[in-house]
Structure formats: C-alpha cells, structure tokens
Amino acid sequence: MKFRFGLLLLLLFSLKASAVINIVPKPNSLIEGQGSFVFKQGMTIVAPLHSGAASLLENKLGHAAGIHLHPVINDAKAAIILSIDTSFVHAPEGYHMIVNAHHIIIKAATETGLYYGVQTLLQLLPPQIESNELVKATWKVPAVTIADAPAFSYRGIMLDVCRHFLPVDHIKKILDILAMYKINRFHWHLTDDQGWRIQIKRYPKLTQIGATRTDADGKTYSGYYTQDQIKEIVRYAAARHIEVIPEIEMPGHAMAALAAYPQYSCTGGPFKVRTTWGVEKNVYCAGNDSTYAFLSHILDEVCTLFPSPYIHIGGDECPKDRWKQCPKCQARMKEEGLKNEDELQSYFVKRMEKIVEKKGKKIIGWDEILEGGIAPSATIMSWRGEQGGIDAANAGHDVIMTPGSSLYLDHYQGSSLCESVKIGGLTTLQQVYAYHPIPKAISPAMAHHVLGLQGNLWSEYLYTPDEFDYQLFPRALAVAETGWTKLANKNVNDFIRRMDDQQIRLDEHHIDYYVPMPEGNLNYMEFTDSLRLPFTTNRPVRVLYSMDGSTPTAHSETYTAPILITKTTTLKLRSILPQGKMSAVRTIHLTKVKPLAAVSMKTPQTGLRMRYTLQGNYRNVAQLQTVKDWKDTVVTNVNDFFKLLPEEQAGGGAIFTGYILIAKDNIYKITCLADQLFIDNKLIINNDGRMKKNAPTDISLPLKAGYHVIKVILVNRTSGGVPSSWIDARPFVQPYEAIDNESLKAISTFYE
Ligand code: ACM
Ligand code: ZN
C-alpha cells in the first residue's frame, strides 16, 4: 500500500513537473495556475498599433508553429491582449502577464515592457518556438500570473570587434539572443591599437589604413563598418530594445588611429597598426590642441550615428612613457599646473567630457579615469575589480560594474587543458551568476548609482566569429539574470537546471555555446604499471568515452567511475547534453613505459649551453634547423635568450642543451612552453607550430633519480598575436602528486 501511495505521489509530481518553468531571467513574481492556453490557427490578438512586441509573437508563431494570429481592434474578448497601461504597471521595463485557458493578457507601461512580456511568453512555449522552420509540437503555455520588472536598468554586453572583427550579420545574430534574455545595452568597442572599425567620413585614412593590420604570419586582417552598416545595427538593436553605446578609445589604445594620422601622437610616428595584443606605449599627444580637434570631429560623426545619451571614451591602460618625454605634453602640464602625468590624463578626459557635453552627450570611462581626478559628470565602468566602482558611487557618480574576475567573458570557462587558448583566468557560468553588482562597501544611500552590470568579451584570442559565441554563451544568460532578477530570487542550482531548456533555444539560433568538458588529468600521460583516471565536469552533464581511438558517440560508454588504464591507450572523452548536443572531443594519450634511466655527470656546473641566432624569421622547428651561422654561449636559463633582443621582437631562435637533476624515482609533471623539450633524447613536449600560451601539452613522466639530459628548442616567433618573449619558456618539473599546486618551480639546469 505504502509503495503504491508513493508511486501515486511520484506520478502526481511528474505530472506537475511536466509544466516546468524555465524562464531566464527568472521573473520576480510567478504564480502557477490551473490548466494551459493552447495556441490555435486564426486566434485573435489585440495590440497597440505597430507593436514590435506583437510582431515578435506573430513571427515566432508563424515560423515555428505555422500559426497565424488574427489582429483585431479593441476587442476585450480577444484571445491575446497586449496593452499599454500606465495606471497598472509603473516600471518602465516591467510587465504583467496573465495566462489562463482562454486568454493571454500582457500589460506594460511601455512598448519595451510589452516586448519583454512577449519574450517571457515565448519562453513558456516549447523551446522549438525559436526555430525558423515548422516544427510539430503542442503550442501551449501553462497558466501563470507574472508580475515582473528588472532589478537593474543597465544590463549590458560588450563586444570587442577590434582585435577580431564580427560581420554585421553575426552581430545581429548575437543581438537576437541578447534580446531574448532582456539584455538592454550593447557596448560596442570600435577602436583599439589593433584596428579602427568605424567609418569616419572626415578622416578616411582611419579605415583605409587603421582597419587593416599585417599579422606575424604575413596575412592581412581587416574589417570595418560603414556608417550605413552602423545605422543598420543601431536600428536592429533598437527594435530589440537594446541601446548601442559606442566606445572610441582615448588617450591610449589608439595605435590604429595613429598609424593613419601620426601627427596626433607625441613623436610623430610613423606607426603600424599593432599586431600583438597587450598595451601600446604610443598614445594620443595630450599637449597638442589639434589632437582634441581631431577627436571632436570624430565624435561629431559618432554622436549623429548613435542615439544613446552616452559616448564611451575608454581611458584605460594609457602608459605615460611618451608624455614624460614629450615637450608639448610637458608644456601643457606646466601651463595647467598639473603635478604629474595622471593629472594630465585627467585634464585630457575632462577636456573631452566638455566636448562631448556640447554635443549633448555624457561620457562613460574605464575606472582609470578616476586617477588624477574624475571628470564631474562621468559614469565609471569598474573593471579592475570593484574598487573603482565603489569609490565612484560613494562620490556620487553613476557606475557600471564589470569586474574582471566575475564578468570578463574572455576568460576560460573550464580547464585550460580542455579549451583552446584564451587570455587566462577562469570564470565559470556559476562564478558569473554568483556576482552581485552592489558591493557592501557602497553606502546604501549611494547604491542607486550602480546602474547595473556588463559582461565584457574582449577578442584577442577569439580567432573566428564562432569563438565569440562559444565564450558568450551560456555565460551571457548569467549576466542577464543577475541584472534582471532580484538577489533574493536568484538560485544557482535552479538556474543551472533551466540551462537544459535554454540551450535548445540557442541550438535553434545555431549558436555553438560552451559545453562543460570532462576535466582532470593531463592530455599526455606516461605510466609504468596502471592508472585510475577520475574525471569531473564543472556542472552536471553526462560524459561519454572510448578507449579504442574512436570518436565517442551517443552510444559510447557513459563515465560513472574512474577509468582503469593498464596498457597504452588513446582515451577519448566528450560530454553530451540532454538534447543530444555534444562537446568537443578530449583526447588523452596514455603510454606504458619504463622509467627513463639517469646518466652520470663528472663536473656539473649551473647553467645551460645555448646555441643561437638572432637573425631570420622562423615559424617552426624545421625552419630553425636550417640555420648555418650559430653562435654558442652559456646562460643561466632559457629566458636569457630574450634579453639579447629588444622587447617583443621576433626573430632567430635557440637550442639549449644540458641536464636536470631528479631527486628521487617518481612520476613527474613536466610543463614547457618552448617549441620542443627533449629528455634523454626523447621528444617529451611538442609545441611546434602551435600558439605558445596555455599548456595542453603538459605531460606526466616516470623518471629515475639522478641526472637526465635535456634539450630545449626555442623558435622566437609571434603566433596568434603572442610574441614568444611574453611566455616563460623554461621547463618546469614537479612531482605529479603536486599537480594541483599552482606555484610551478622551474628546475635548476646544469652543463659540463
Ligand atoms: C580593459 O579591460 N582594459 C578595460
Ligand atoms: Zn605629447
């Protein structure tokens, strides 16, 4: 009896659970009712004239369901009613919705509120409502009463189209998705050292010269938006209730502009559009009045293109090296009584603030504009943590929170051993979700100055448009919910549960979003007897694997417990989501070996022999082997090579030979970001031709106690925007048990 009763409960529970609500961002009040509303052909709809919200609903139903609604005027009995009602709903973006078996009624104070009401309604329909093709489904919505409004007025995403470019259609695709999740600001980072991406008619060279760079591999990289395309994007975003805020960077991050117009620099150039990432020392001259006129003319055109009340003028990462040497900048400091170059930057920003004010707009700047004194009306974007935002809000300035550790979407979202090269950091979906934009250190009376938050997608390491999508989604959904849903209504586990439904919606838009990978262990492992390999994923997903070298499919073994390895094996793993989408494949090379035996040394001396050349541009190890005029010397470590050339300069390469001393018989984890590492004449790590930044080539290796011969090959090349000199090319060796110990220690090297 008991068992049957339990079964009945379970049945009832699962019936109830069939109408699970998966809305993102989670509405601030939702009460489930009885029954459901079923959409039928020709149902009547009442909506304000030219309502974009009504068009959105009609388009989605038309495309995916083949259901066409019948518009009627002022019929209180219509099946679907969208109405503007300022007496009932007050929040400008808020809406109220009632769904029962007979009606759907959405009320809002504005068309934006109606639009968000319809986005919520679409999320109550099966996820295939986002399909562009007819789908067979029951198009019904569970009965609900929703009263909803956002927690924050600014819910933004920034896209950097300078380091890598996004075509117009791809931006539109992203805007479609952002609108689904009620993101209402698109911060468009349009100018930087590596590219100027907006047509300015008065200064055609900005795009003729500034929009193209020649990368280290000799390929040109270009792209910019014409003013017509800019207008098209602004219109497209506005139809989705997204305001576009342009960023024109100054006084730093200006190399692309200076390549075109070097007269506005301190030295006069000439310059090339920058081809490596990082921070450029050449910036706009702050002592030259014509610089301000040049920027004012640019902003004249920018202001007419973007209806936003804001212009973002950058202000971050402006090295003061050139200003310190520049007679004009130094004279300006004297004239204005400025104590240091930080105050000169503040002078620059305040002068631009006045120029922008005359054009009827307000400035936003990165938190560096606080240094040397903040411009009176500036809004601060706090990116170097929260302190800038805290200081600015407490001083009565508006603030947008975008701290790197939580909201930089260029960071890894899973283990770097399983992902393509990224800038660094680790910011999981849950970490983004955990962020709250009002730090305790902002006094309650000043908390209203926090307008909201923004996820920033910098694109140095996003080599294709698809990689933008991969980094952006699903983490942008966590930004959206954090911006919309009140803190008390947020729940990370429930948010993660709702991802299953939301990801199907992303599939319908052909978004290749991040899927958690099987993490743990190294990609190359040598062992003597056997291994037992545990894997995890950073949120619950099923993992499939094969041990015969084949690509795992939906029919492969499911991972349930650590995998026992007793012989040389190629292990392949991937994750699978409930709807069948699979992650990329992770391959782990497992090799059964005998430990490498030690050699003897008579008179070991600390250091390494280096055979090197500073001449020639080599892309890989084979090309370096063709060098005839090697030089020989002894160095203390591999990085000493870089001291022979100016900072960041590519060219030449070196072959280092010597020994390492291993303390005891053990399995060691070896890391090396040089091009190749040999131990006892065996190729152990091979980064030949690949970008030398992350270390998916780390290996575990059994070694006997004593001296082992090593050889390191270093090709001094720039790859993917990263010069070899940025990396630490030394070999690191540590006991494998210490694998989680992040403080890698470089091992001493010897020669004789
Ligand atoms: C920034 O990330 N430099 C604003
Ligand atoms: Zn200067």
Side-chain angles (χ1 to χ4, degrees), residues 131-147:
S131 170
N132 239 337
E133 285 155 30
L134 273 183
V135 181
K136 246 187 121 52
T138 308
W139 301 103
K140 67 176 184 187
V141 180
V144 286
T145 301
I146 297 177

Side-chain angles (χ1 to χ4, degrees), residues 132-133 173 466 469 505-512:
N132 239 337
E133 285 155 30
K173 176 167 102 160
D466 285 348
D469 296 352
R505 294 171 196 269
L506 298 179
D507 290 339
E508 297 294 356
H509 288 264
H510 310 287
I511 297 282
D512 187 19

Side-chain angles (χ1 to χ4, degrees), residues 575-616:
S575 304
I576 182 166
L577 298 179
Q579 82 274 32
K581 180 183 163 80
M582 289 197 252
S583 74
V585 176
R586 180 167 179 210
T587 302
I588 300 190
H589 306 269
L590 300 147
T591 313
K592 193 159 183 167
V593 295
K594 294 215 159 51
L596 290 173
V599 298
S600 60
M601 280 188 86
K602 286 191 200 84
T603 51
Q605 303 187 60
T606 305
L608 273 176
R609 291 191 187 281
M610 176 171 85
R611 172 159 284 197
Y612 71 102
T613 176
L614 302 179
Q615 309 301 316

Side-chain angles (χ1 to χ4, degrees), residues 265-267 284-288 322-323 326-330:
S265 70
C266 290
T267 63
Y284 289 121
C285 178
N288 186 348
R322 297 293 178 267
W323 291 359
C326 171
K328 283 189 187 135
C329 285
Q330 291 302 312

Side-chain angles (χ1 to χ4, degrees), residues 36-91:
S36 54
F37 177 98
V38 182
F39 280 96
K40 298 207 181 73
Q41 200 63 260
M43 272 181 157
T44 50
I45 177 168
V46 172
L49 206 59
H50 309 305
S51 166
S55 307
L56 174 65
L57 180 61
E58 286 159 1
N59 284 337
K60 292 288 175 190
L61 283 171
H63 282 123
I67 291 174
H68 301 282
L69 301 178
H70 178 58
V72 290
I73 298 169
N74 263 343
D75 181 353
K77 292 206 196 68
I80 301 150
I81 298 176
L82 308 186
S83 78
I84 300 284
D85 188 339
T86 48
S87 65
F88 185 64
V89 186
H90 304 295

Side-chain angles (χ1 to χ4, degrees), residues 386-387 389-391 393-395 401 438-444 446-447 450:
E386 296 185 321
Q387 197 56 48
I390 292 167
D391 295 345
N394 284 337
M401 285 296 192
I438 304 184
K440 290 200 172 59
I442 294 180
S443 72
M446 292 299 183
V450 178

